[in-house]
Amino acid sequence: MKDEKYGVLVHGAGWVSGQHIAAFTRNPRTEVVAISSRKLASARARADEAGLTGIGIYDDYEMALKHDGVDIVSICTPQHIHCENVLAAAAAGKHMVIEKPAGNSLDELRQMRDAVRNARVRTIVSFVLRWNPLFKTIKSMIADDAIGQVYFVETDYEHNVASWWSGYEDIRKVSTGVNALLVGGCHAVDAMRWFAGQGEFEAARPIEVFAYSGGWRKGIPREFNYLTNEFRESRPLEYEGLEVALVKFANGALGKVSVNFDCIMPYTFPIEIFGGKGTIRDNRVWSHKFPGQRDWVSIPTILPDSADVSHHPFQGQMDHFVECLMSERESHCNLEDAIMTHEVVFAAQECYRTGCPVKLPLLVP
Ligand SMILES: NC(=O)c1ccc[n+]([C@@H]2O[C@H](COP(=O)([O-])OP(=O)(O)OC[C@H]3O[C@@H](n4cnc5c(N)ncnc54)[C@H](OP(=O)(O)O)[C@@H]3O)[C@@H](O)[C@H]2O)c1
């Protein structure tokens, strides 16, 4: 454990990076000591916005990694650059926060995993919803036997991702975004794994996947902006906007997960969890623990009902990671765990090619 504060380098000064900077600035055990990006002006703008003076500002990642006092690198670049960023940070012996999706292929994930293992550094992948208050409440209830043994989970990422997102130009292409399940659906895949795991801090291990893809939006140069409720011309998605996967878990539970970039409606993230002694639908509970209940019990809490990064619980995620570093333990959301989430995505892709169910794991452990 370090006596002084952990120094943080935030790399990739776009939309999400502002939340990483804010969370590390608020944590009493960390301080942002440098920001780097492709453009110097972007890194400087983020520092100014956060009121950070006297920190390192770089447009050269290798130089930023050598900045005095960097212990943690927060990787906030577009997903197709994460692998090279992780390999360089591991070679420099830095702990890492890796934005989702962690990598764009199985080969990238293998390289990243091996580099992290060799460097013996710690990681957390930004499946930030694990710290959403509804998610935390649900996991606490499941671990407390409120709904018994979980046998079926359904989660869906229903989000008309379009050009309002600064990252859209990168994610809409197959070469840099890959597919909808990887770009955004990975949040729903991770949530499905999280809720299918019976322990409070445990995600279930997927063992088989079957999937279809479809929808209407691929190649159509028109988009719907759910923030303004308007249709307009746009650069098209190069892949299908709808993917639906069925997943078997090692503990016997089944999961159904979808991503829907084609939906004409505001962002939603519905959750259904069925157990042998109860059911959870979003924030509503039916449980054997409430023998007199005659209607759904609703829990007033913060739902995962916004795609805005300022709504996401990055503070909880970063505080957890700092605790892991201080107590020298691995996060439940480290790269090794996140690879299981990503493998569901790549298995679904394999399924579109072969039409057959795909057994996991795909990477040799
Ligand atoms: N966990 C979550 O809920 C969540 C939410 C939103 C986003 N994300 C993820 O976070 C990552 C970034 O997304 P974002 O929304 O912040 O995208 P973004 O606004 O496009 O920001 C990415 C930034 O990376 C910089 N960049 C691009 N190419 C680079 C390169 N080769 N080297 C260094 N910097 C480079 C760009 O900065 P310049 O201005 O310097 O060119 C850009 O501003 C993505 O993986 C995304 O999926 C996660």
Side-chain angles (χ1 to χ4, degrees):
M1 187 179 120
K2 248 188 115 170
D3 288 334
E4 66 271 32
K5 288 184 175 186
Y6 292 92
V8 182
L9 161 65
V10 175
H11 181 56
W15 191 37
V16 85
S17 70
Q19 303 304 317
H20 287 228
I21 293 166
F24 280 122
T25 302
R26 280 193 289 257
N27 185 297
R29 297 305 315 267
T30 53
E31 64 183 327
V32 176
V33 296
I35 302 175
S36 54
S37 202
R38 186 173 46 187
K39 298 192 205 102
L40 214 49
S42 304
R44 192 165 287 128
R46 281 288 173 227
D48 291 347
E49 183 186 276
L52 296 173
T53 50
I55 65 166
I57 302 290
Y58 295 90
D59 60 3
D60 182 318
Y61 181 51
E62 290 292 342
M63 277 179 64
L65 283 171
K66 294 192 180 110
H67 185 90
D68 209 21
V70 172
D71 303 294
I72 302 168
V73 183
S74 230
I75 295 171
C76 299
T77 47
Q79 65 190 61
H80 63 285
I81 304 168
H82 291 176
C83 179
E84 63 183 68
N85 290 166
V86 166
L87 299 188
K94 310 298 181 191
H95 303 301
M96 278 169 257
V97 178
I98 308 166
E99 257 311 334
K100 53 56 57 180
N104 266 6
S105 66
L106 284 171
D107 186 50
E108 284 191 359
L109 291 171
R110 183 185 301 110
Q111 290 181 52
M112 292 157 77
R113 181 198 65 184
D114 293 349
V116 164
R117 281 182 184 171
N118 288 339
R120 296 168 178 272
V121 290
R122 297 194 199 280
T123 56
I124 187 166
V125 175
S126 259
F127 288 120
V128 65
L129 288 174
R130 291 190 186 191
W131 288 271
N132 168 273
L134 174 63
F135 276 51
K136 287 171 75 173
T137 303
I138 289 175
K139 282 298 277 181
S140 165
M141 285 193 295
I142 292 174
D144 200 28
D145 195 39
I147 62 165
Q149 184 70 36
V150 173
Y151 63 88
F152 180 51
V153 176
E154 178 167 355
T155 51
D156 304 280
Y157 184 87
E158 298 168 341
H159 187 195
N160 195 309
V161 167
S163 62
W164 53 261
W165 181 12
S166 45
Y168 181 68
E169 190 49 29
D170 285 319
I171 67 91
R172 75 178 183 88
K173 298 177 193 154
V174 170
S175 59
T176 43
V178 182
N179 62 29
L181 203 53
L182 188 66
V183 170
C186 62
H187 276 304
V189 175
D190 194 71
M192 173 184 60
R193 289 190 50 230
W194 191 230
F195 297 135
Q198 205 71 23
E200 188 165 359
F201 302 107
E202 174 207 1
R205 183 165 62 82
I207 55 169
E208 193 170 308
V209 175
F210 185 78
Y212 289 115
S213 65
W216 60 271
R217 196 172 147 199
K218 177 182 174 184
I220 306 281
R222 197 154 174 266
E223 70 174 32
F224 172 70
N225 183 331
Y226 67 91
L227 302 167
T228 59
N229 213 23
E230 287 167 341
F231 290 89
R232 64 172 207 188
E233 297 293 298
S234 166
R235 294 174 306 272
L237 280 182
E238 289 183 358
Y239 46 74
E240 285 175 319
L242 174 69
E243 297 182 58
V244 185
L246 298 175
V247 180
K248 263 191 208 173
F249 291 100
N251 64 6
L254 296 184
K256 182 169 138 205
V257 63
S258 78
V259 59
N260 189 347
F261 281 3
D262 296 8
C263 55
I264 307 301
M265 63 177 197
Y267 174 91
T268 48
F269 198 107
I271 298 162
E272 286 202 311
I273 307 162
F274 298 87
K277 300 177 190 170
T279 303
I280 297 172
R281 299 181 121 172
D282 302 321
N283 63 331
R284 295 177 303 151
V285 186
W286 203 285
S287 167
H288 72 119
K289 300 254 190 191
F290 311 136
Q293 108 180 85
R294 291 293 175 267
D295 198 355
W296 289 89
V297 173
S298 287
I299 298 168
T301 186
I302 298 171
L303 277 74
D305 56 2
S306 168
D308 194 332
V309 290
S310 65
H311 181 269
H312 294 352
F314 284 107
Q315 192 68 53
Q317 178 192 326
M318 303 317 177
D319 292 350
H320 158 80
F321 189 49
V322 173
E323 273 171 36
C324 289
L325 295 181
M326 287 170 62
S327 55
E328 299 182 351
R329 67 186 158 90
E330 283 296 310
S331 167
H332 54 72
C333 203
N334 66 4
L335 182 63
E336 303 264 350
D337 179 85
I339 283 173
M340 287 191 256
T341 293
H342 290 71
E343 283 199 332
V344 172
V345 175
F346 294 118
Q349 206 174 23
E350 174 69 1
C351 202
Y352 308 144
R353 203 178 59 77
T354 63
C356 299
V358 176
K359 297 233 185 279
L360 302 181
L362 297 174
L363 291 184
V364 177

